[in-house]
Amino acid sequence: MIAKITLILLSFFLLTCSDKNEPDTEVVDCSSTICTLNFVTITVSIKDTSDNAVVLDSFEVLDTATGENLAKDISAEEYHNDQGIYPLISDAHRIQYQNKTT
């Protein structure tokens, strides 16, 4: 009896499994989604071997596919250059890069 129940459960699990390795390519319309008013920026912290912040005169964040500088509109006052923290990408690029691998 236990063997029959085990066989039925195993059969059920095998039938419901999917060998689908393709990513979900369905485009989701998020235009009516509630905004949380959270603004996200991914940053990088640059330090030397003595763990001191590295202050850069300028920096670029390049999209290698297009050659576009994503940091072209960022002034020195907008990032914490005295702490060696520099933005890589932010919500300002959300539409252009959402659901894409770059």
Side-chain angles (χ1 to χ4, degrees), residues 3-97:
K4 287 182 183 180
I5 293 173
T6 305
L7 181 61
I8 291 171
L9 288 175
L10 183 60
S11 299
F12 175 74
F13 287 121
L14 290 175
L15 291 174
T16 58
C17 289
S18 173
D19 191 26
K20 185 177 176 183
N21 290 332
E22 301 169 10
D24 186 13
T25 58
E26 180 182 338
V27 177
V28 178
D29 180 19
C30 298
S31 61
S32 62
T33 305
I34 298 172
C35 179
T36 61
L37 299 178
N38 289 338
F39 189 75
V40 176
T41 300
I42 298 174
T43 61
V44 62
S45 176
I46 303 176
K47 297 183 178 185
D48 62 15
T49 55
S50 301
D51 206 32
N52 297 319
V54 174
V55 178
L56 302 177
D57 294 331
S58 64
F59 71 99
E60 292 181 338
V61 179
L62 298 177
D63 180 338
T64 56
T66 64
E68 177 187 5
N69 180 7
L70 303 178
K72 67 181 176 223
D73 297 329
I74 300 173
S75 66
E77 294 80 31
E78 292 182 275
Y79 56 87
H80 309 286
N81 63 355
D82 58 328
Q83 299 173 13
I85 299 172
Y86 303 93
L88 295 179
I89 195 164
S90 70
D91 285 345
H93 301 99
R94 181 185 56 83
I95 302 291
Q96 183 179 2
Y97 293 101

